[in-house]
Amino acid sequence: MNKKAKSLDLHGIGCSPGIYIGKAYVVKKTNYNLPRYWINNKEITSETERFLSALEKASEEIEKIQEKLCKFEGREQINILDTYHLILQDKRLRENTIKSIKEEHINAEWALYKNAEKIKNHLIQHGMSHLKERANEFSDIQERILCHLLGKNKASFTNLPKNCIVIAHDLSPAETAQLIKYNIGGMIIEVGGTTSHTAIISRALGIPCIVACHQASSTLLSGETIIIDGTHGKVITDPSEMLIEEFTKQQHHDFELKKIFLKETHLSAETKDHHRIHLTANMELIEEIQSIKENGAEGIGLYRSEFLFMNQKKLPTENELFKSYQMILKSIYPYTVTIRTLDIGGDKVLTTYPYEKETNPALGLRAIRFCLKEKAIFKIQLRAMLRASLYGKLKILFPLICELEEIRRAKEILNEVKEELYREDNHFDNNVKIGVMIEVPSSVMIANELAQEVDFFSIGTNDLIQYSLAVDRSNENVDYLYRPLHPAILRMLVQTLDAAKKHHISINVCGEMASDPLYILFLVGMGFQELSMNALSIPRAKRMIRSITQKQAKKLFQTAIKLTTASEINNFAKSQINKLFAKEPYILTL
Ligand code: PEP
Ligand code: MG
């Protein structure tokens, strides 16, 4: 029987390239703040029923998975399911939990937790043969039951084993940022698009990732061995020895190629006819600094500063922010660091801020709108930035500017802050350059006016595409409509570039488009001289730029801009890149 055909493979959208072979870990959406409360005599029956019902639902879930797997004869999965059944049939868990509810008068979640932990520790300490190795599966069951009890929506990483492949229905950017602590090998998410912030972080950290992989968390089981191929958006379950060998070879091959690219990071990104392109890095987490340096970035073109505000119990203080900014500026010196002011809202929420629920957060109180409303928070951030400006080279960038009044108001507040610092005898660099992000069609249309207010533009193509083509960047159902080479987008890029040139201000592209090997040369041909991207993409971008003349790139772009549909331009781009890099076909997928 052909094992490969029989295995239960899953597909999604590959959004961070690379291969990883490891154990799956299914993140259940439970709440780590386990509710613990006392119950009275009258509540014992309803609490017991609640527990039994959750237990039954978890069993049904496992049954369903088993039914599916039976069709595919996945040996390893069936073994794991046997363990799951043993755990679910284990009378101790059921009876002891009910006993705790009755005798200790505690709620079902608390009782379950107490008894599950007790049994798990007993298994680990006293080595109950096959169950001893299965603490992960036990935790998974425990979380499945808890999940039914709570019906809550928060990922729990409490039992996350090192080097596992994380599987989740959805992960917020804040949750994804937390995962860095756990050294994970891969990520499989059931929802999301390629420019969602979760996808962006996985790329920045070099973790293979697949989004829009439907039913992954209900189909895969914690503990089973899987292969994730983030380049092609494929998950292989129950892989044969032969497949493991094949993918391991590919993994080594990719690794060797990257090593070759890395050897060239000291070379500049200069076309064959000596046009110099500046490649800077996008940064989300401070942990990326080392990689930014190693990959040859010439500064930080976009620091998404909101990540310092996430996963915190309280808003950071001015001094805490100052220390972080100071450290970043010092580490990156003599290069420049562009700090974008808080771009919160949309898919990036602060747990420390009491938001009103919005019907359409992408069009709601996000980015500069939030800061202009919450002036006190904004001022704290600006004060910290200005104070840190003495320790390196700083630029300040304002996100999601849609009209002139917004940038004028932001500048007024910046001046207020400067005056306050003067009065307090706090020193700062008074010549810090300020810029706006061009990421909505209205800012493109008023680019000439905006250019007269600031020192530089930074084009955020992720949002520019989202807002121009009316495509939610985090929604996998419309991912096929998310097209950076749509003629409308190319024309907007040209229009913005022209306005910047006319008013002699600098301009860069910092959206994901700038790192994509399919688009880089078109941006160079269009006339952009600075691109900001995730650090790991820089060595490849350098290699691509060094292997072409500016004249060639210009010609490519001039042909593309005459085409009228996104598909035509895309096909043209693919054929040209394939032709140019016929000897290095991996350039598009690495
Ligand atoms: C963008 O919109 O292109 C951008 C760089 O900002 P973010 O991805 O953080 O929204
Ligand atoms: Mg944006």
Side-chain angles (χ1 to χ4, degrees):
M1 214 175 292
N2 181 344
K3 196 81 180 288
K4 194 177 174 194
K6 279 280 179 189
S7 68
L8 181 67
D9 295 347
L10 300 169
H11 295 266
I13 304 170
C15 69
S16 177
I19 288 163
Y20 192 78
I21 303 163
K23 301 263 187 221
Y25 185 86
V26 183
V27 175
K28 291 285 142 197
K29 292 278 181 171
T30 54
N31 192 342
Y32 353 100
N33 297 325
L34 192 84
R36 294 169 200 237
Y37 51 90
W38 307 106
I39 55 169
N40 58 35
N41 276 338
K42 279 191 218 148
E43 289 166 321
I44 288 175
T45 313
S46 60
E47 207 57 17
T48 308
E49 278 167 7
R50 216 162 63 77
F51 166 65
L52 288 174
S53 149
L55 192 65
E56 204 177 305
K57 282 184 192 150
S59 305
E60 282 167 11
E61 216 169 77
I62 298 295
E63 291 291 335
K64 269 194 208 149
I65 296 177
Q66 187 166 42
E67 266 169 38
K68 254 191 220 164
L69 286 178
C70 279
K71 293 185 197 147
F72 296 94
E73 294 178 15
R75 176 186 29 78
E76 195 174 348
Q77 287 95 324
I78 302 290
N79 283 348
I80 292 171
L81 278 174
D82 289 344
T83 315
Y84 274 57
H85 279 299
L86 279 174
I87 296 168
L88 281 163
Q89 283 159 15
D90 188 334
K91 284 203 178 103
R92 283 171 307 169
L93 180 67
R94 182 191 176 95
E95 285 169 8
N96 292 355
T97 303
I98 296 173
K99 201 168 162 208
S100 292
I101 295 173
K102 272 188 189 153
E103 293 176 6
E104 296 172 50
H105 288 86
I106 57 176
N107 65 312
E109 290 88 347
W110 190 359
L112 168 71
Y113 174 78
K114 248 180 119 164
N115 290 288
E117 290 298 304
K118 212 186 277 171
I119 298 171
K120 220 161 53 183
N121 289 338
H122 182 79
L123 292 174
I124 293 167
Q125 281 164 16
H126 297 92
M128 295 264 296
S129 62
H130 54 288
L131 285 183
K132 189 184 176 184
E133 306 299 322
R134 301 290 185 170
N136 278 350
E137 285 88 322
F138 200 98
S139 298
D140 192 7
I141 290 277
Q142 183 184 340
E143 286 197 25
R144 278 176 198 269
I145 305 170
L146 203 53
C147 188
H148 288 294
L149 277 171
L150 293 163
K152 283 273 168 110
N153 250 349
K154 197 172 175 191
S156 163
F157 303 132
T158 37
N159 298 304
L160 204 66
K162 275 220 158 109
N163 304 323
C164 65
I165 299 171
V166 169
I167 292 112
H169 172 68
D170 191 10
L171 286 179
S172 69
E175 287 166 339
T176 311
Q178 273 183 46
L179 284 176
I180 192 169
K181 294 191 210 118
Y182 297 93
N183 247 339
I184 63 164
M187 272 165 57
I188 302 168
I189 318 281
E190 291 182 328
V191 296
T194 41
T195 52
S196 63
H197 285 95
T198 299
I200 288 173
I201 299 175
S202 66
R203 273 196 291 278
L205 301 176
I207 299 170
C209 179
I210 301 176
V211 292
C213 192
H214 304 291
Q215 307 209 315
S217 64
S218 54
T219 315
L220 296 168
L221 291 165
S222 292
E224 68 172 302
T225 298
I226 59 171
I227 301 175
I228 171 173
D229 176 351
T231 311
H232 301 100
K234 229 170 122 177
V235 183
I236 294 150
T237 60
D238 195 24
S240 63
E241 300 269 312
M242 222 172 71
L243 273 180
I244 292 185
E245 203 177 305
E246 199 181 296
F247 275 89
T248 309
K249 261 194 206 151
Q250 182 63 43
Q251 201 180 19
H252 288 152
H253 182 65
D254 290 354
F255 185 67
E256 291 305 316
L257 286 173
K258 280 187 191 151
K259 267 198 343 209
I260 296 175
F261 284 9
L262 268 175
K263 280 193 190 136
E264 297 172 359
T265 49
H266 62 286
L267 301 173
S268 54
E270 189 174 306
T271 60
K272 281 182 174 169
D273 48 355
H274 310 298
H275 273 83
R276 183 84 161 76
I277 308 295
H278 290 273
L279 300 185
T280 53
N282 291 353
M283 180 171 102
E284 293 71 41
L285 308 171
I286 285 184
E287 288 83 349
E288 291 170 58
I289 289 180
Q290 190 59 22
S291 141
I292 286 172
K293 290 175 148 188
E294 281 168 9
N295 284 284
E298 297 167 297
I300 295 180
L302 169 69
Y303 171 36
R304 292 181 163 99
S305 71
E306 52 278 7
F307 282 88
L308 263 191
F309 289 69
M310 294 179 187
N311 296 321
Q312 305 288 349
K313 289 202 176 75
K314 57 181 184 51
L315 285 171
T317 62
E318 179 186 321
N319 245 354
E320 283 164 351
L321 290 175
F322 163 72
K323 281 198 186 124
S324 301
Y325 299 156
Q326 182 193 40
M327 188 273 284
I328 299 168
L329 282 156
K330 274 185 175 176
S331 316
I332 299 298
Y333 189 81
Y335 293 119
T336 302
V337 177
T338 304
I339 306 184
R340 178 175 73 182
T341 58
L342 199 56
D343 184 356
I344 213 67
D347 62 343
K348 292 175 288 192
V349 289
L350 295 184
T351 42
T352 40
Y353 182 79
Y355 283 101
E356 276 174 37
K357 197 167 163 39
E358 297 181 307
T359 315
N360 197 343
L363 301 180
L365 190 67
R366 59 166 289 207
I368 196 70
R369 303 165 182 187
F370 174 88
C371 287
L372 294 182
K373 179 167 184 263
E374 294 296 337
K375 195 173 151 191
I377 300 177
F378 192 33
K379 280 179 83 172
I380 285 175
Q381 189 180 29
L382 291 175
R383 281 178 63 94
M385 283 185 195
L386 284 173
R387 282 176 52 205
S389 65
L390 289 180
Y391 298 88
K393 291 186 191 159
L394 170 72
K395 282 185 183 175
I396 299 178
L397 178 59
F398 298 105
L400 206 79
I401 297 291
C402 298
E403 54 183 29
L404 276 174
E405 282 96 334
E406 281 172 331
I407 184 60
R408 287 184 183 148
R409 184 72 193 115
K411 279 164 66 179
E412 267 168 32
I413 297 174
L414 183 67
N415 283 335
E416 256 178 54
V417 168
K418 284 184 178 178
E419 274 164 27
E420 280 171 22
L421 290 174
Y422 266 132
R423 280 201 301 274
E424 294 161 17
D425 209 19
N426 253 321
H427 297 265
F428 60 90
D429 174 4
N430 199 20
N431 293 314
V432 169
K433 301 254 183 296
I434 60 156
V436 288
M437 289 204 66
I438 302 290
E439 44 188 354
V440 290
S442 62
S443 62
V444 176
M445 300 311 288
I446 58 164
N448 273 314
E449 288 77 9
L450 283 172
Q452 295 170 55
E453 297 283 341
V454 293
D455 305 302
F456 69 98
F457 281 164
S458 187
I459 307 187
T461 50
N462 305 337
D463 277 319
L464 185 60
I465 297 167
Q466 155 163 273
Y467 293 120
S468 305
L469 305 184
V471 179
D472 178 351
R473 60 193 266 195
S474 307
N475 183 343
E476 71 279 11
N477 296 319
V478 287
D479 200 70
Y480 71 102
L481 289 171
Y482 194 91
R483 314 184 88 169
L485 294 183
H486 190 296
I489 302 299
L490 295 187
R491 289 174 205 176
M492 283 197 233
L493 294 177
V494 172
Q495 196 174 326
T496 314
L497 187 62
D498 287 347
K501 274 190 197 153
K502 186 172 162 197
H503 296 280
H504 309 290
I505 64 166
S506 59
I507 180 165
N508 73 4
V509 180
C510 66
E512 292 304 291
M513 190 176 177
S515 65
D516 195 312
L518 198 56
Y519 314 135
I520 287 174
L521 298 185
F522 287 81
L523 294 172
V524 171
M526 215 181 280
F528 285 101
Q529 289 172 350
E530 187 187 328
L531 304 174
S532 194
M533 61 190 75
N534 74 71
L536 297 177
S537 295
I538 290 178
R540 173 180 56 192
K542 277 196 177 173
R543 195 178 179 102
M544 291 188 83
I545 291 165
R546 291 176 61 79
S547 54
I548 191 171
T549 60
Q550 165 76 12
K551 211 168 149 199
Q552 263 176 307
K554 210 169 173 181
K555 212 165 143 207
L556 280 182
F557 172 68
Q558 279 165 351
T559 311
I561 196 83
K562 287 191 197 117
L563 302 172
T564 48
T565 69
S567 304
E568 280 169 12
I569 305 179
N570 224 53
N571 291 339
F572 172 71
K574 262 193 197 144
S575 69
Q576 293 303 308
I577 301 297
N578 282 334
K579 214 190 283 173
L580 277 166
F581 296 94
K583 290 200 185 126
E584 299 174 90
Y586 45 80
I587 209 112
L588 278 176
T589 53
L590 205 60

